[in-house]
């Protein structure tokens, strides 16, 4: 059923990968309501991703601080954004994320209570979405791919996705930037480049000493060049790696923005990463990849759903999946050995 909607708000406070997987659903909403003004409320770290999609008319930033206190300046910016959204008088607001806890559900309810849209749509995770007027039922454990759940959610407003494939666009200027960066770093066009991203949410990071061992095994087993990346605020991981690995890898000398990162991943012969945003970029671009999974919900976020060139390295653990941001024992990731991940990488490299 479609509604008379002139102003729609999408509340999406997820990370890079979450927003990328929502792309088909947001596109379906745009097609269903071509004349509506669509606004998005997102975290600051995904602004470049939303800009790349080119589907939102307006974008508002809500600063999150996971596991800590939000600085006062950001609190004021958040309040200003919410009050501006209230003044816009939306016909509908749709929350695109799972309600992982009662506390999280109360925060979304409070947020929508201030904004006051006429229709409140979202996922009724384990009946926590009592405040939604239109609800899509789901459980804590995933039974479907995340992109399909997002499509079901916008379906509450009558939107249908003809194309369910996540997407991103790499501007030519960013491809040229990476070409120039490769020349600076001595990477030739016929070099086999293995890119390893060692960052991500703390609870989803494979041990850094294992990455060091993996780099040594790759250099010993293949004539390749290894490049190591980390995300914003993760330079400490690179410093730790430099003390553990016996050289044999390079790192960019500057931070990469979203489109530059995508261009680099597209040029890679193999991409290896934790369960994090760049993993989904590699899957969308069909770059051969090894995705290292620990506590993440594989059913929801398995890159093999959209890429036949993805391999998942995972060991079953009685405590996984979980939503912990930090973990004291990291049992699920420590169970994965260097040889487990190297074996997955070796299979992809030898099939080239």
């Amino acid at each position: 059923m479609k509604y008379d909607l002139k102003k729609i708000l999408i509340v999406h406070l997820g990370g890079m990968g979450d927003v990328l997987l929502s792309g088909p659903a947001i596109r379906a909403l745009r097609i269903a309501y071509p004349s509506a003004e669509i606004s998005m409320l997102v975290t600051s770290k995904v602004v470049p991703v939303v800009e790349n999609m080119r589907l939102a008319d307006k974008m508002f930033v809500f600063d999150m601080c996971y596991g800590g206190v939000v600085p006062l300046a950001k609190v004021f910016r958040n309040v200003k954004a919410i009050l501006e959204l209230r003044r816009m008088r939306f016909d509908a607001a749709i929350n695109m994320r799972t309600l992982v806890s009662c506390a999280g559900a109360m925060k979304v309810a409070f947020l929508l209570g201030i904004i006051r849209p006429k229709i409140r749509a979202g996922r009724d995770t384990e009946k926590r979405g009592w405040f939604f007027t239109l609800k899509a039922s789901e459980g804590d454990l995933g039974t479907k791919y995340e992109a399909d759940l997002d499509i079901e959610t916008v379906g509450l407003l009558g939107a249908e996705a003809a194309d369910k494939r996540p997407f991103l666009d790499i501007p030519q200027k960013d491809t040229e930037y990476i070409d120039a960066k490769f020349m600076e770093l001595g990477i030739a066009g016929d070099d086999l480049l293995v890119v390893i991203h060692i960052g991500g949410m703390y609870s989803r990071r494979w041990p850094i000493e294992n990455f060091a061992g993996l780099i040594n095994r790759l250099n010993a087993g293949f004539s390749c060049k290894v490049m190591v990346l980390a995300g914003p605020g993760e330079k400490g991981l690179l410093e730790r790696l430099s003390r553990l690995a016996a050289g044999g890898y390079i790192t960019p000398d500057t931070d990469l923005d979203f489109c530059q990162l995508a261009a680099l991943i597209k040029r890679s012969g193999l991409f290896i990463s934790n369960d994090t945003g760049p993993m989904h970029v590699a899957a969308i671009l069909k770059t051969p990849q090894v995705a290292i999974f620990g506590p993440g919900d594989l059913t929801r976020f398995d890159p093999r759903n959209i890429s036949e060139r993805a391999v998942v390295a995972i060991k079953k653990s009685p405590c996984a999946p979980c939503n912990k941001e930090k973990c004291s024992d990291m049992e699920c990731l420590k169970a994965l050995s260097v040889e487990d991940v190297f074996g997955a990488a070796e299979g992809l490299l030898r099939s080239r």
Side-chain angles (χ1 to χ4, degrees):
M1 175 181 176
K2 291 184 67 176
Y3 298 84
D4 182 20
L5 304 179
K6 295 180 176 60
K7 288 187 176 183
I8 303 171
L9 173 65
I10 299 171
V11 178
H12 203 317
L13 302 178
M16 177 196 297
D18 302 312
V19 174
L20 284 169
L21 296 185
S22 295
I26 299 170
R27 179 173 55 196
L29 197 62
R30 174 82 282 170
I31 293 171
Y33 296 95
S35 60
E37 180 182 82
I38 296 180
S39 300
M40 288 188 67
L41 179 65
V42 299
T43 62
S44 56
K45 61 185 177 181
V46 303
V47 167
V49 184
V50 177
E51 291 174 340
N52 184 265
M53 288 181 172
R54 299 193 296 274
L55 292 171
D57 299 299
K58 294 182 179 180
M59 182 164 40
F60 298 84
V61 172
F62 189 88
D63 286 301
M64 307 281 283
C65 191
Y66 299 99
V69 178
V70 180
L72 190 58
K74 291 186 177 182
V75 171
F76 284 126
R77 285 198 293 270
N78 287 349
V79 171
K80 182 179 178 181
I82 294 170
L83 293 179
E84 176 62 22
L85 292 172
R86 179 188 177 102
R87 285 191 288 269
M88 293 178 69
R89 300 189 179 188
F90 289 98
D91 297 305
I94 183 164
N95 183 61
M96 299 292 284
R97 301 293 300 127
T98 293
L99 302 174
V100 298
S101 67
C102 290
M106 289 301 296
K107 292 175 183 176
V108 176
F110 179 72
L111 182 66
L112 294 181
I114 296 175
I115 297 171
R116 296 196 302 184
K118 294 177 183 177
I119 297 173
R120 306 175 188 188
R123 300 188 198 173
D124 186 19
T125 316
E126 299 290 351
K127 306 297 182 183
R128 298 183 191 115
W130 52 268
F131 50 90
F132 292 131
T133 52
L134 298 174
K135 308 174 185 180
S137 297
E138 71 166 354
D140 281 326
L141 293 180
T143 58
K144 296 179 181 179
Y145 186 45
E146 186 73 3
D148 293 330
L149 290 169
D150 287 332
I151 289 169
E152 285 187 10
T153 305
V154 297
L156 297 169
L157 296 177
E160 297 182 4
D163 187 348
K164 298 183 178 182
R165 296 170 298 177
F167 57 91
L168 63 87
D169 175 62
I170 303 175
Q172 181 62 29
K173 66 179 179 65
D174 295 297
T175 298
E176 293 171 356
Y177 175 87
I178 292 302
D179 288 343
K181 183 60 64 177
F182 280 9
M183 289 185 64
E184 290 178 17
L185 295 171
I187 301 172
D190 57 352
D191 283 336
L192 172 57
L193 178 65
V194 178
V195 177
I196 302 177
H197 196 295
I198 61 176
M201 185 185 296
Y202 182 86
S203 64
R204 299 185 182 187
R205 294 177 187 166
W206 198 41
I208 197 71
E209 56 268 23
N210 286 9
F211 277 116
L214 176 63
I215 292 168
N216 293 338
R217 290 288 282 117
L218 287 167
N219 283 317
F222 294 91
S223 178
C224 65
K225 290 186 176 179
V226 178
M227 177 181 288
V228 178
L229 307 176
E234 296 176 339
K235 298 303 181 186
L237 293 176
L238 294 174
E239 293 172 1
R240 288 179 58 199
L241 181 68
S242 68
R243 295 193 292 268
L244 294 168
Y249 68 92
I250 53 179
T251 58
D253 55 2
T254 57
D255 291 331
L256 302 175
D257 64 25
F258 172 70
C259 290
Q260 291 166 353
L261 173 65
L264 189 153
I265 291 173
K266 187 174 180 63
R267 288 286 309 276
S268 307
L270 175 65
F271 184 73
I272 303 172
S273 75
N274 298 312
D275 168 21
T276 188
M279 176 194 76
H280 298 289
V281 173
I284 292 169
L285 296 174
K286 305 295 188 290
T287 297
Q289 71 174 136
V290 177
I292 301 170
F293 262 79
D297 193 328
L298 183 60
T299 302
R300 287 185 190 271
F301 299 108
D302 191 337
R304 294 171 297 186
N305 279 295
I306 57 173
S307 175
E308 68 283 355
R309 306 179 81 182
V311 173
V312 172
I314 187 171
K315 287 287 181 72
K316 288 186 177 180
S317 174
C319 58
C322 76
N323 291 311
K324 290 180 179 179
E325 294 173 9
K326 293 188 177 181
C327 179
S328 58
D329 55 52
M330 307 282 282
E331 176 185 337
C332 55
L333 283 168
K334 289 179 179 177
L336 272 172
S337 69
V338 171
E339 288 305 311
D340 290 328
V341 178
F342 176 74
E346 183 179 35
L348 287 170
L349 290 172
R350 295 202 184 284
S351 66
R352 285 171 53 85

